[in-house]
Amino acid sequence: MVKDNDTVIREFNELVNMTAEELTEWLKGDASTSSGWTKDDGSGESVGHESGRKIVEILKKNPNKDPEKYDQDDIDHMRKVVAYNKRHLAQEETAKRNTESKSYKSLKNWGHDAQKP
């Protein structure tokens, strides 16, 4: 069953616990660029890193998180972010304990810092 847009927006804003500034800074580092699956377009960028850039755009575009200000492209990406974060948080306890783990770094690329309360 596909989640309705309101649910996706709410869950995105709960799961993405990094600010646009925090995520931008994270994405500049080697830990970010070296974690995750590399896209198959020859760019060398990981799927998660690309997602992080899109998340930053969404956060900057709508800093007050007004549900009416998201367009369908935003919501489509938010849906991917929610699915990724929920799936990996359910599977990966390592991310909550080890900031050097692939899980922790990958989740941060998707906007979730597992070390934040």
Side-chain angles (χ1 to χ4, degrees):
M1 180 174 171
V2 175
K3 293 180 184 185
D4 64 86
N5 288 351
D6 290 339
T7 300
V8 170
I9 291 167
R10 181 179 48 76
E11 290 182 353
F12 174 89
N13 286 320
E14 290 169 1
L15 289 165
V16 174
N17 64 356
M18 298 174 73
T19 65
E21 294 76 20
E22 289 170 331
L23 187 50
T24 297
E25 196 58 36
W26 166 255
L27 292 171
K28 291 178 186 175
D30 290 340
S32 170
T33 57
S34 65
S35 66
W37 289 346
T38 304
K39 295 174 5 183
D40 57 6
D41 65 0
S43 69
E45 183 177 35
S46 73
V47 173
H49 194 270
E50 177 185 46
S51 174
R53 288 188 301 102
K54 289 179 182 177
I55 294 167
V56 168
E57 290 173 18
I58 292 168
L59 295 174
K60 284 183 174 181
K61 175 177 154 182
N62 190 2
N64 295 325
K65 303 178 181 179
D66 179 350
E68 300 300 316
K69 294 195 176 179
Y70 296 116
D71 62 31
Q72 194 57 50
D73 286 342
D74 296 336
I75 294 169
D76 290 345
H77 190 68
M78 293 164 87
R79 188 177 305 281
K80 291 178 189 174
V81 172
V82 167
Y84 181 90
N85 279 318
K86 283 191 157 211
R87 184 172 62 250
H88 286 270
L89 285 167
Q91 296 171 350
E92 302 287 345
E93 279 298 314
T94 305
K96 297 174 187 170
R97 297 187 311 269
N98 181 359
T99 59
E100 293 303 313
S101 72
K102 289 180 181 178
S103 299
Y104 176 76
K105 294 172 186 177
S106 184
L107 278 164
K108 277 190 88 168
N109 279 349
W110 289 81
H112 182 83
D113 184 344
Q115 299 288 306
K116 278 189 168 184

